[in-house]
Amino acid sequence: MKQREVYQHKLQTQLTEWSAAIDQLKVRANETEADVKAEYDKQIGELQQKLDIVQGKLDELQQARDDVWESLKADLEAASNNLGESVNLTTARFH
């Protein structure tokens, strides 16, 4: 398997894990009182937007020619690192 394919597979696996974490937050949000739920919903919305951005960047990377994928990779890594940190902080905050 090429380095590019390994990277894409690893990132897709990570996106699946982050998506599951966001789904767990949604379940918790539905079990909370209205005032707390509003804050949960806001944070979950922001996480979902970041997840969608990273997924879009991954899709773009998968379609990119071999000669440009390395340059796209740096932008994707920055976005995915931001998403990962946000998921971790939000999950810790609402535990």
Side-chain angles (χ1 to χ4, degrees):
M1 197 180 291
K2 289 180 173 180
Q3 177 186 5
R4 178 178 175 170
E5 293 167 346
V6 170
Y7 177 78
Q8 291 170 352
H9 178 73
K10 179 181 171 185
L11 187 54
Q12 188 60 58
T13 299
Q14 186 64 63
L15 284 172
T16 301
E17 290 174 14
W18 287 328
S19 182
I22 292 169
D23 289 343
Q24 289 176 341
L25 288 170
K26 289 177 184 176
V27 169
R28 279 193 221 137
N30 288 329
E31 297 171 348
T32 62
E33 297 176 17
D35 59 332
V36 177
K37 185 178 183 317
E39 181 60 28
Y40 262 110
D41 289 343
K42 178 183 174 196
Q43 294 293 317
I44 290 167
E46 291 173 6
L47 291 175
Q48 190 64 55
Q49 286 178 339
K50 289 179 182 184
L51 181 73
D52 292 344
I53 289 168
V54 173
Q55 184 63 59
K57 289 181 183 295
L58 179 59
D59 293 345
E60 183 181 345
L61 180 82
Q62 290 170 335
Q63 300 300 319
R65 297 184 326 257
D66 286 340
D67 61 332
V68 296
W69 89 273
E70 280 289 340
S71 63
L72 296 173
K73 181 181 166 189
D75 190 37
L76 179 58
E77 284 183 1
S80 65
N81 287 339
N82 181 283
L83 172 61
E85 290 172 11
S86 296
V87 169
N88 291 338
L89 289 172
T90 303
T91 301
R93 182 173 175 208
F94 291 116
H95 259 313

